[in-house]
Amino acid sequence: MIKQDINKLEEKSIFIIREAKTRFNNIAALWSMGKDSTAMLAIARNAFLGKIPFPVIHIDNGIDFPESYKFRDDLADRWGMEVIVAKSKIKPEISGYSCCGANKTVALKGVLKEYGFEALIVSIRRDEHAVRAKERYVSPRDKNFSWNYKDQPAEVWDSYSSKLDKRGHLRIHPLLDWNEIDIWSYIKRNRIPINPLYMSNNGYRYRSLGCTHCTVPIRSNAKSIDAIIRELETTKVEERSGREQDKEKAYIMEKLRSLGYM
Amino acid sequence: MSTMINEVTLLGHKDHGKSTLIGRMLMDTHSVSKARIDNAKMMSKRLGRKFEPGFLLDSFEEEQEGALTIDTTRAQIKYRGSAFEFIDVPGHEELIKNMISGASNASFALLMVSAKGDEGVEDQTKRHLFLAKMMGIESIIVCVNKMDTVDYSERRFEEIVGGLRPFLSNVGFARNSVIFVPVSAYDSDNISRRSERMGWYRGKPLLDLLVDLSKRRRSSGDKTLRIIFQGVMGAGDDLKYIGRVVSGSLNEGEQIVLMPTGKRVMIERIFVKGRAKQTARSGENVALVLDRHIAGDGRGIVGYGSRHRGVRSKSIDALIFAIGRIGVRAKIRSNGVEHQCSIKLVNGIDTTTGGAAAWSGVRELEAGRVVINLNDYICVEPFAKSRELGRFTIHSGKELVGIGIVNG
Ligand SMILES: Nc1nc2c(ncn2[C@@H]2O[C@H](COP(=O)(O)OP(=O)(O)O)[C@@H](O)[C@H]2O)c(=O)[nH]1
């Protein structure tokens, strides 16, 4: 995995986050308490000199890891963040993407409606999945949240879209250029608190965090951030390999469906 | 050690071998897992084909079966201390905006041309080359591919080189900024190692040419201070102006000139990445405390050093490319602000030849030299002088309908 210059990456992310805040009155960020969205919040603090000027949303399906809830409350306190917790309902009969996706989407739609957010900062990275190569830094979603990837507005230089559909919203992706290893380098350099589940315990650690139902740990002895970085420098295994296989397949299928493929 | 990733935009008509080339480079540089190679082999077999290195690119079986065409693909490769991200966007006409999006930050371009009998350079490919040049890509490597199908013939290679040179030069690529290399992506000839089958070729293999380009010093522009204001944060006593230094450097205590008004302000404090700093450098986003307030939120203002005259104009001589329909009345977005304007065509430019054309208006998917007149002053400079101040986008309603660069 290629390690990039985190100073350059951070500058671009700051520009994008500030652009979102300047162009739209009412924005929020999604926070899963995972490494990416937590790093993004640290960048937002740098962009706005310590105080994040928008609320952060945690879509809570009630089955996240206990460590995650504690992490959320501690950090929200420490960084003075306004956290909106949106409860999503888990139906045991639904699994895979339908669980991770559908239920969370319902909860998020509720929040957007209640607060009237125009733009949402989402911490996806391009190297997570092939589908994400098609993402823009600023990407319009319609009122059903669907992503019309086949007809996306052009994104030239640093001129981002402001194409807000009626009752739709914009997704802002400040971390699109970052690789997984860059996130860890940044976390290390800036001493960002991190969810303990990422560190190895009895020979296993989580590389990607979903909820307790669909995340499985990978074999790893990495007990420190340095060890994680060393591990990533040589690995050729995809990040999401820790998500359960059948569910991952369902996730991709669902993603493709939303892309209009099926 | 961190590496600067050079974005490389891949151009070329479908089936000339772009995916195969990326797949081959991934293999030759050991950037993919054995599992993925095995999977690509299995997929090729299942589809009754010979091994297709292109299958290494996307992990979707559906795509490989040809049922789907996912458009943009990206792949990162590290080789001999340099790193590259290859961006491949399909060539359909309606997707030219994707090509522009993919290429707008690229450092250089790689053009794939198949040497096979009936697979020459198409109009759409020429249009992409024109756009690449217009957006500031200076260097290009032309891979003449599928040399195995023409018996590695030097004559065929020279024929293709000779055929392309005039167009590339019309579009504005300097002769020494275009490098031609004969390859067979499929067999990995002249990709990472020089091919013995083409002893007549004296140059380096493709990956080494890419490394050379990545090391070439790019003119970092002049040292003139230019800062583009993005807006404000905070309020009252806590008000700060935010912006980006796009060239030169900015110092605490320095006086700067704000354009287009020409007003002067003093920089009291500078914050970079959340910390107070004495100096901000090119590329850094800043939050500034000024000695006085400026009217409005400052967005779109350009700050220069106190000795600079500052630049502003109401009439711009520009080169534009129309992605959609551009009428006489339009809006241009420059430095983050949209301005009403009128656009008058001086002459059209046929992007498939690079030559001037006598059209009455700006044509869709073509270019033109234009004069843009505005009601208010804006701060632009020739693209050759300042990338950031020399470029703009053209809008109609909420649609982006074109891009433009300011002529010198
Ligand atoms: N003979 C030969 N065939 C090639 C070569 N490179 C690619 N091809 C074949 O040309 C076809 C199209 O290649 P592909 O990479 O999919 O083209 P793309 O549409 O430009 O991405 C595939 O069947 C490849 O196997 C080459 O160097 N020699």
Side-chain angles (χ1 to χ4, degrees):
Chain A
M1 197 181 300
I2 298 173
K3 239 176 165 174
Q4 305 178 72
D5 178 345
I6 50 177
N7 282 315
K8 280 223 177 81
L9 290 169
E10 182 178 14
E11 288 298 344
K12 183 152 179 181
S13 303
I14 289 178
F15 180 79
I16 294 169
I17 295 170
R18 283 179 170 177
E19 198 65 2
K21 177 63 191 158
T22 311
R23 302 266 302 280
F24 305 101
N25 299 319
N26 199 6
I27 71 168
L30 291 186
W31 186 29
S32 67
M33 291 99 71
K35 62 188 189 312
D36 303 305
S37 53
T38 306
M40 184 278 297
L41 292 174
I43 296 168
R45 291 182 80 229
N46 280 352
F48 296 103
L49 312 189
K51 177 89 189 111
I52 297 172
F54 43 77
V56 298
I57 303 171
H58 171 212
I59 309 284
D60 180 12
N61 51 22
I63 51 165
D64 278 346
F65 294 91
E67 289 90 337
S68 298
Y69 290 108
K70 178 165 170 8
F71 179 76
R72 176 189 76 192
D73 296 340
D74 290 352
L75 199 63
D77 223 35
R78 196 160 138 195
W79 286 358
M81 295 188 285
E82 178 192 345
V83 180
I84 298 172
V85 176
K87 296 260 184 227
S88 78
K89 285 187 203 74
I90 285 293
K91 301 185 192 91
E93 69 276 16
I94 303 177
S95 66
Y97 183 83
S98 332
C99 149
C100 291
N103 296 334
K104 283 192 171 178
T105 303
V106 171
L108 187 57
K109 277 182 179 161
V111 179
L112 285 195
K113 199 164 170 200
E114 189 180 340
Y115 292 83
F117 295 123
E118 296 165 291
L120 272 186
I121 298 176
V122 186
S123 304
I124 58 166
R125 289 177 289 105
R126 234 181 242 127
D127 76 331
E128 278 175 83
H129 202 283
V131 154
R132 303 226 156 136
K134 290 123 196 87
E135 280 283 11
R136 304 276 207 252
Y137 299 104
V138 176
S139 170
R141 301 291 144 114
D142 69 10
K143 63 176 191 305
N144 300 319
F145 276 33
S146 47
W147 176 37
N148 185 1
Y149 103 99
K150 281 189 177 161
D151 189 24
Q152 301 194 71
E155 187 160 81
V156 196
W157 299 308
D158 44 21
S159 176
Y160 306 121
S161 176
S162 50
K163 223 175 149 184
L164 252 183
D165 272 18
K166 217 176 179 168
R167 286 191 287 145
H169 69 280
L170 290 172
R171 292 274 164 105
I172 315 285
H173 302 139
L175 297 189
L176 212 49
D177 292 345
W178 294 61
N179 285 338
E180 185 184 3
I181 197 167
D182 303 321
I183 296 287
W184 284 112
S185 305
Y186 187 80
I187 286 169
K188 178 178 154 59
R189 193 195 63 184
N190 293 37
R191 299 205 184 93
I192 298 168
I194 203 71
N195 198 321
L197 294 166
Y198 286 110
M199 302 298 161
S200 171
N201 186 0
N202 290 326
Y204 288 93
R205 74 175 192 90
Y206 290 91
R207 188 167 165 195
S208 156
L209 282 181
C211 64
T212 45
H213 286 195
C214 69
T215 318
V216 291
I218 56 161
R219 266 180 185 287
S220 164
N221 288 316
K223 287 197 171 73
S224 68
I225 296 178
D226 281 323
I228 291 177
I229 291 173
R230 274 197 303 277
E231 184 182 283
L232 292 178
E233 269 170 338
T234 49
T235 188
K236 282 176 185 154
V237 179
E238 271 88 33
E239 180 177 6
R240 297 184 66 94
S241 58
R243 304 282 172 110
E244 268 181 38
Q245 273 304 299
D246 56 328
K247 294 185 178 174
E248 186 62 8
K249 182 126 188 162
Y251 166 86
I252 291 169
M253 287 302 135
E254 194 60 38
K255 192 87 197 171
L256 288 173
R257 219 165 280 134
S258 81
L259 297 177
Y261 279 130
M262 294 164 199
Chain B
M1 253 265 298
S2 77
T3 323
M4 215 262 306
I5 296 193
N6 295 274
E7 287 188 22
V8 183
T9 180
L10 273 170
L11 308 175
H13 197 258
K14 189 173 153 18
D15 288 339
H16 284 212
K18 289 188 288 178
S19 324
T20 307
L21 177 72
I22 300 182
R24 190 48 84 185
M25 290 192 293
L26 283 170
M27 286 175 78
D28 285 4
T29 57
H30 312 288
S31 309
V32 274
S33 61
K34 191 173 169 296
R36 221 156 122 195
I37 296 175
D38 288 345
N39 187 52
K41 283 187 176 151
M42 195 189 71
M43 276 310 298
S44 309
K45 201 178 228 165
R46 201 193 296 169
L47 297 175
R49 316 244 293 252
K50 59 189 189 329
F51 169 59
E52 289 282 2
F55 285 3
L56 289 167
L57 270 182
D58 297 297
S59 40
F60 298 135
E61 291 168 22
E62 293 74 15
E63 254 184 292
Q64 294 162 353
E65 277 163 23
L68 308 163
T69 31
I70 283 204
D71 56 66
T72 320
T73 44
R74 290 174 180 258
Q76 293 186 349
I77 285 168
K78 196 167 172 178
Y79 188 68
R80 300 207 166 145
S82 292
F84 306 93
E85 178 163 79
F86 295 93
I87 306 163
D88 180 16
V89 180
H92 319 296
E93 222 148 81
E94 69 273 19
L95 290 172
I96 200 124
K97 57 185 183 173
N98 289 353
M99 179 268 160
I100 290 176
S101 306
S104 77
N105 292 311
S107 326
F108 32 89
L110 203 158
L111 169 66
M112 239 10 216
V113 186
S114 167
K116 214 169 168 177
D118 50 347
E119 302 183 336
V121 177
E122 315 237 344
D123 281 357
Q124 186 66 359
T125 305
K126 291 183 175 170
R127 190 165 283 137
H128 285 181
L129 285 164
F130 178 91
L131 276 162
K133 181 70 185 79
M134 173 175 170
M135 287 189 286
I137 292 175
E138 301 291 344
S139 310
I140 176 165
I141 296 179
V142 183
C143 286
V144 179
N145 190 29
K146 306 198 188 179
M147 287 301 290
D148 53 301
T149 64
V150 293
D151 211 12
Y152 308 99
S153 154
E154 180 177 14
R155 243 188 81 196
R156 176 71 180 139
F157 174 72
E158 290 302 339
E159 190 177 282
I160 288 170
V161 174
L164 262 172
R165 280 235 188 256
F167 172 76
L168 290 170
S169 131
N170 271 356
V171 168
F173 285 104
R175 195 181 167 91
N176 62 3
S177 63
V178 185
I179 305 161
F180 292 87
V181 52
V183 303
S184 170
Y186 192 84
D187 298 322
S188 195
D189 281 292
N190 282 335
I191 304 298
S192 57
R193 271 174 298 113
R194 276 189 56 173
S195 163
E196 281 154 22
R197 299 175 176 126
M198 288 175 269
W200 48 265
Y201 172 69
R202 299 263 157 250
K204 294 182 179 177
L206 174 63
L207 281 164
D208 290 309
L209 293 173
L210 284 165
V211 170
D212 288 352
L213 271 190
S214 73
K215 294 198 169 134
R216 213 185 255 189
R217 279 177 59 117
R218 252 160 261 137
S219 56
S220 52
D222 53 59
K223 298 267 177 286
T224 310
L225 167 66
R226 293 179 181 88
I227 164 170
I228 303 177
F229 283 65
Q230 199 175 5
V232 290
M233 58 177 273
D237 283 347
D238 201 30
L239 185 79
K240 293 182 186 69
Y241 293 87
I242 55 176
R244 189 164 41 141
V245 179
V246 298
S247 64
S249 57
L250 179 73
N251 293 304
E252 205 179 78
E254 179 177 359
Q255 203 177 62
I256 61 169
V257 186
L258 303 181
M259 296 308 288
T261 61
K263 288 217 170 78
R264 282 162 189 270
V265 292
M266 212 263 287
I267 308 292
E268 288 188 339
R269 300 197 69 188
I270 301 175
F271 295 89
V272 177
K273 293 198 190 81
R275 295 225 180 95
K277 280 271 160 74
Q278 240 132 51
T279 305
R281 283 170 223 296
S282 174
E284 288 181 329
N285 288 280
V286 293
L288 304 173
V289 179
L290 305 178
D291 66 339
R292 72 185 74 174
H293 287 330
I294 39 189
D297 66 357
R299 191 171 168 87
I301 283 178
V302 178
Y304 289 93
S306 63
R307 272 191 300 250
H308 199 278
R309 282 192 301 114
V311 179
R312 65 175 193 180
S313 60
K314 279 187 176 181
S315 180
I316 311 167
D317 179 351
L319 171 65
I320 66 169
F321 180 88
I323 301 169
R325 236 189 64 76
I326 299 182
V328 176
R329 310 278 328 158
K331 283 180 291 188
I332 62 168
R333 188 194 287 176
S334 151
N335 303 334
V337 179
E338 286 184 5
H339 305 264
Q340 288 290 342
C341 67
S342 68
I343 299 180
K344 204 177 123 243
L345 187 72
V346 178
N347 62 264
I349 295 169
D350 181 342
T351 51
T352 60
T353 63
W359 297 327
S360 54
V362 182
R363 289 199 185 170
E364 224 171 299
L365 297 180
E366 295 291 354
R369 193 176 152 196
V370 297
V371 172
I372 299 177
N373 288 303
L374 302 113
N375 298 326
D376 38 1
Y377 283 111
I378 63 169
C379 300
V380 292
E381 292 191 53
F383 187 65
K385 239 179 148 181
S386 166
R387 285 272 164 115
E388 286 80 6
L389 294 184
R391 63 199 188 192
F392 57 88
T393 48
I394 308 169
H395 301 257
S396 166
K398 283 194 168 174
E399 297 292 333
L400 189 151
V401 290
I403 60 171
I405 60 166
V406 179
N407 286 329

